[in-house]
Amino acid sequence: MYNYGMHLTLHQLKVFESVARLLSYTRAAEELFLSQPAVSMQIKQLEDNIGLPLFDRLGKKIYLTEAGREMFRYSRTIAQQLSEAETVIEELKGIKRGKLVISVASTANYFSTRLLAIFNKRIEGVTVSLDVTNRENLLHQLTSNDTDLVIMGRPPEGLDLEAEPFMDNPLVVIAAPGHPFAKRKRIPLTDLQDETFVVRETGSGTRMASERFFNEKGINLNTGMVMTSNEAIQQAVQAGLGLGIVSLHTLDLELKTNSLVVLDVESFPIMRQWYIVHRKGKRLSPVAQAFKTFILKEAASLWQMPGMK
Ligand code: PGA
């Protein structure tokens, strides 16, 4: 069972941080607009919760004990993070209305929609226009300035774009559970040459990355069918039409219900990254700026949370 450990409160931590920084109960009490006995009581409760003294008293002076020094280090980080969270929330609250025009790669749609839902709950009154398309179309939209922000794989150099990575995007080989490779370990890449693959359309980032990967390794892939969506590939693979290469982000239910398996292939996954992209120098609206900040700071950790996938 999970042990919830120390039952300390944020208020106690705040009081402790102040006393530890100023090394004075009196000055901490002034800073926090509390009485001195109130400060002493918070520290006493914190020490009881922790089970170790945090301060040594020598005459009129107080010093941090070893436990006190450790707590001080953590409480400062916590205080900083809290104030950062406050700033972000304040910024978000400031954006009362606005329109967010965003385009995402088909593969990124799996997490983008859920992240947009969270963002939208935080800032009410924002209208979102979301376009889901492949990499090539996204690059066109960026060049013609048709969109505020784009979520895609790493864009090419030389297009005058500002692109920041925010989350890993592992590409994996999938098969039907009954496939002879399903139970094999460390399948050599060369064994894939005899298989048929169901692949994404030209213009897809997933396709581009897998082609580059196999070219570099000198492996020729047999392309059986081309499909314009990850779902179509998954269904074709389930139906036994071949193997597929998709982002791990597109699989969840399929793995839980065992309708597809991820093969253990040498050198896999192909590790890509997701980027949030806009034209260089583009003046982002407050809502677009807030969305960009939200993605950069929170997308990766939110996506790891249970229930998100
Ligand atoms: P896509 O994904 O395959 O849906 O175009 C974008 C990318 O991986 O860059």
Side-chain angles (χ1 to χ4, degrees):
M1 208 173 83
Y2 183 70
N3 175 11
Y4 284 94
M6 303 181 281
H7 295 278
L8 40 87
T9 65
L10 282 176
H11 183 57
Q12 286 167 356
L13 273 187
K14 199 168 159 190
V15 173
F16 167 73
E17 194 275 333
S18 179
V19 179
R21 179 167 34 83
L22 300 167
L23 287 176
S24 155
Y25 281 71
T26 322
R27 285 172 53 207
E30 279 166 17
E31 181 177 273
L32 298 165
F33 301 106
L34 292 172
S35 68
Q36 211 206 307
V39 170
S40 310
M41 193 163 81
Q42 292 296 327
I43 298 295
K44 169 91 182 50
Q45 278 171 2
L46 186 58
E47 287 178 327
D48 288 349
N49 284 338
I50 288 175
L52 284 176
L54 296 166
F55 295 99
D56 269 338
R57 289 149 190 95
L58 269 186
K60 282 195 172 165
K61 284 198 151 200
I62 56 169
Y63 298 90
L64 284 167
T65 59
E66 192 186 347
R69 279 198 299 276
E70 286 294 331
M71 278 307 283
F72 187 38
R73 201 156 59 83
Y74 286 105
S75 61
R76 266 191 311 190
T77 315
I78 293 168
Q80 269 163 17
Q81 299 260 314
L82 268 180
S83 100
E84 222 177 280
E86 259 167 34
T87 320
V88 172
I89 298 300
E90 280 316 308
E91 278 172 7
L92 292 181
K93 278 187 187 157
I95 308 145
K96 289 279 181 269
R97 345 205 114 253
K99 188 164 183 235
L100 177 63
V101 184
I102 159 162
S103 301
V104 306
S106 333
T107 305
N109 191 32
Y110 286 80
F111 60 85
S112 302
T113 338
R114 274 166 242 190
L115 292 173
L116 265 172
I118 298 178
F119 181 74
N120 219 28
K121 264 195 208 127
R122 290 195 196 165
I123 320 178
E124 280 172 14
V126 171
T127 344
V128 179
S129 145
L130 170 72
D131 187 24
V132 182
T133 182
N134 73 20
R135 172 182 174 88
E136 199 177 318
N137 292 331
L138 293 172
L139 290 171
H140 284 309
Q141 290 186 3
L142 281 163
T143 338
S144 52
N145 204 11
D146 285 342
T147 182
D148 289 338
L149 291 167
V150 163
I151 293 180
M152 64 185 299
R154 188 196 188 96
E157 304 289 344
L159 284 187
D160 243 15
L161 300 174
E162 216 163 85
E164 288 175 74
F166 64 87
M167 184 159 73
D168 283 341
N169 174 24
L171 304 187
V172 293
V173 184
I174 51 168
H179 193 280
F181 283 5
K183 297 220 153 47
R184 278 181 61 187
K185 296 262 169 264
R186 311 278 311 144
I187 303 162
L189 274 181
T190 41
D191 283 15
L192 297 184
Q193 291 192 114
D194 305 319
E195 295 297 312
T196 306
F197 275 79
V198 186
V199 297
R200 283 282 303 279
E201 78 284 8
T202 311
S204 140
T206 308
R207 160 112 177 226
M208 186 197 75
S210 353
E211 277 179 350
R212 193 166 41 205
F213 173 82
F214 285 107
N215 277 342
E216 272 168 20
K217 305 276 182 196
I219 307 272
N220 263 336
L221 280 199
N222 280 326
T223 302
M225 284 187 201
V226 180
M227 309 211 162
T228 52
S229 82
N230 293 301
E231 291 89 326
I233 292 192
Q234 290 173 8
Q235 278 162 21
V237 172
Q238 269 174 46
L241 293 175
L243 300 179
I245 297 174
V246 292
S247 160
L248 199 54
H249 290 154
T250 68
L251 301 162
D252 182 43
L253 213 60
E254 290 75 8
L255 299 181
K256 281 190 187 133
T257 56
N258 204 32
S259 53
L260 283 173
V261 289
V262 171
L263 296 185
D264 181 6
V265 180
E266 176 202 324
S267 303
F268 267 82
I270 303 174
M271 196 49 91
R272 309 195 72 210
Q273 245 98 44
W274 289 118
Y275 283 72
I276 183 131
V277 188
H278 56 83
R279 279 162 65 112
K280 212 171 242 160
K282 183 177 174 76
R283 212 192 145 103
L284 292 178
S285 66
V287 58
Q289 185 55 55
F291 186 69
K292 182 179 169 185
T293 309
F294 167 69
I295 290 293
L296 287 175
K297 288 202 172 156
E298 297 187 56
S301 53
L302 280 173
W303 186 240
Q304 299 312 323
M305 282 176 44
M308 263 298 279
K309 291 184 190 174

